[in-house]
Amino acid sequence: MTTQQLLILIAVLIVLVLAVVGILVAVRKRRSQGDSTRPAGTQEPDDGHSSLSTKSATAAAKGQSEGPSGASPAASSGGQAVESASSASGTSINPDASIDSAGSVDSKASSQSSSADQAAPSAQDELAHPEASASRMTRLKARLAKSPNPFGKALFAILTKDHLSESDWEDVEDTLLMADVGADASEQLVKQLRDDARITGQKDPAAVRRGLRQRLIDLVDPDMDRTLVAARPQANRPSVIIMVGVNGTGKTTTAGKLARLFVADGKSVVMGAADTFRAAAADQLETWGGKVGVPVVRSDRDGADPASVAFEAAERAKNDQADVLIVDTAGRLQNKANLMDQLGKIRRVIEKNLPVDEVLLVLDATTGQNGMIQAQVFAQAIGVTGIVLTKLDGSAKGGIVVSVQRELGVPVKLVGLGEGPDDLAVFDPESFVDGILGDE
């Protein structure tokens, strides 16, 4: 063999070696990317050591929080303490081979735990910063004022007419009834407005608006204590909140938004995913928790006993010395007696660990008087301490605030006016009335 042929052969071997190296590097990179982007709901191989809580911990270390089924940092299952991400990923260490320039193969161990350790700080850096509660109602009031259906504007349009006939007063009452204020409250307000008109005889729109504003504020009842129990100085620690409501009211979403509200106020939160009947509920809650670093206690299987999950969540919150525990429950049909009994069981089980301070009933404001039936049944089943009204924009009938408070004797404490993560605020009667009256 000539020298030239020998050089050609060596060149060919070098090219082949470089090609093999490139393929191995590409495979390693692809495998690493595949592990880091695997959705939380994907079934991982069972090696006999990893549980669902361990998998959640691994996902947390990798900083996963995107998508409707993303896992939260520090999620736990069945009350077990979350294992470290490094130990969880240590069960699947794969050696990667590299080829040196002489053609020999060196084994180089590259564990997933080191990748997880590097990803953990970035996940912490990406935690969201929720909007402070002080500025939320101002923003939500402006949104309510732009709503196409604030009944205050319709009332104002009628009351500023030059001469109010009997037909006009009937229109006022019809407007209130259509806004779901309720028959008794509507009749009371119309009587008060008629008395004001007779006594003052005001025709000036500004004066009429001031009078209407004050009457509506009185109707909403500003004297009710709307403070969340967990926000009070003397609150238990952890302060337990149970979220209840029928399907479709936005209960799980509201639980996540409420956690953000507490985080914005500097409180530590634990969430319990006791809605075990809806497969995506726990994943959804973990996504909310993952955005703000709130751990979520969940079951490792669908259809598990909700009371068991609630019990474990109470233990976790107690051991972590959290400020607040938020327990999400299944969206139950109000005519299912056995399911309503389950709510009572959840409360009793939690109270073996911690007292329950708050039961918040989530109502869809667009359902109107139908929401009253829901409210009554839930109040009997578990005892409601406050109302959360979602979807109070658009076609919502704001009068439900008045009727639900009168019927249950408990205040509307929170309102939602949009789909944004911080579109939840503590209810303020004056801001609410200003919103439905619109700009002067």
Side-chain angles (χ1 to χ4, degrees), residues 16-81:
L16 289 175
V17 168
L18 292 175
V20 172
V21 170
I23 292 172
L24 289 176
V25 170
V27 169
R28 178 185 173 188
K29 182 182 297 185
R30 185 172 181 179
R31 181 182 303 161
S32 176
Q33 291 176 346
D35 288 341
S36 65
T37 58
R38 178 182 294 148
T42 303
Q43 183 68 34
E44 298 182 4
D46 186 3
D47 57 7
H49 299 287
S50 61
S51 63
L52 184 132
S53 62
T54 304
K55 295 170 186 175
S56 298
T58 306
K62 292 177 181 176
Q64 294 305 302
S65 60
E66 61 271 8
S69 61
S72 76
S76 69
S77 169
Q80 298 177 355

Side-chain angles (χ1 to χ4, degrees), residues 183-226:
D184 292 342
S186 297
E187 184 178 348
Q188 173 189 332
L189 181 57
V190 169
K191 182 179 183 304
Q192 290 173 340
L193 292 173
R194 295 189 74 156
D195 289 343
D196 292 344
R198 280 197 299 268
I199 294 171
T200 64
Q202 287 285 355
K203 300 298 182 183
D204 177 49
V208 172
R209 189 184 189 283
R210 286 194 298 271
L212 176 59
R213 178 181 184 274
Q214 188 57 53
R215 288 301 183 186
L216 288 173
I217 289 175
D218 292 342
L219 197 63
V220 176
D221 195 352
D223 295 329
M224 299 186 89
D225 186 1
R226 303 174 193 279

Side-chain angles (χ1 to χ4, degrees), residues 88-102:
S89 56
T91 59
S92 55
I93 297 176
N94 294 320
D96 292 320
S98 63
I99 304 178
D100 60 17
S101 59

Side-chain angles (χ1 to χ4, degrees), residues 189-401:
L189 181 57
V190 169
K191 182 179 183 304
Q192 290 173 340
L193 292 173
R194 295 189 74 156
D195 289 343
D196 292 344
R198 280 197 299 268
I199 294 171
T200 64
Q202 287 285 355
K203 300 298 182 183
D204 177 49
V208 172
R209 189 184 189 283
R210 286 194 298 271
L212 176 59
R213 178 181 184 274
Q214 188 57 53
R215 288 301 183 186
L216 288 173
I217 289 175
D218 292 342
L219 197 63
V220 176
D221 195 352
D223 295 329
M224 299 186 89
D225 186 1
R226 303 174 193 279
T227 309
L228 292 168
V229 175
R232 297 173 186 171
Q234 69 277 18
N236 292 316
R237 190 169 181 268
S239 183
V240 179
I241 301 173
I242 300 178
M243 310 293 292
V244 299
V246 299
N247 286 317
T249 58
K251 177 179 45 56
T252 300
T253 296
T254 300
K257 291 182 178 181
L258 182 56
R260 291 178 64 92
L261 185 62
F262 282 123
V263 169
D265 291 338
K267 294 186 180 295
S268 59
V269 183
V270 171
M271 290 195 286
D275 182 356
T276 60
F277 297 103
R278 185 164 64 92
D283 292 336
Q284 184 181 357
L285 206 62
E286 283 191 322
T287 299
W288 282 102
K291 297 294 185 182
V292 288
V294 171
V296 176
V297 177
R298 60 177 295 176
S299 173
D300 58 356
R301 61 186 179 85
D302 294 335
D305 182 13
S308 175
V309 177
F311 180 82
E312 300 293 349
E315 280 195 335
R316 171 69 182 272
K318 188 176 181 179
N319 293 337
D320 287 0
Q321 296 184 335
D323 295 314
V324 185
L325 168 63
I326 301 173
V327 179
D328 183 33
T329 62
R332 310 173 194 281
L333 296 174
Q334 67 269 20
N335 59 347
K336 301 294 185 181
N338 59 327
L339 294 180
M340 299 305 293
D341 289 343
Q342 183 66 47
L343 280 179
K345 179 182 177 183
I346 288 174
R347 177 166 190 158
R348 291 191 301 271
V349 165
I350 291 176
E351 287 178 335
K352 292 180 180 180
N353 258 329
L354 298 168
V356 174
D357 298 305
E358 192 106 69
V359 178
L360 295 179
L361 172 61
V362 182
L363 290 178
D364 182 338
T366 64
T367 61
Q369 286 297 312
N370 185 51
M372 294 301 304
I373 302 174
Q374 302 172 16
Q376 292 164 0
V377 176
F378 278 103
Q380 294 170 2
I382 193 171
V384 174
T385 62
I387 307 296
V388 183
L389 281 178
T390 62
K391 308 175 189 176
L392 198 57
D393 55 353
S395 61
K397 301 178 178 181
I400 191 68
V401 171

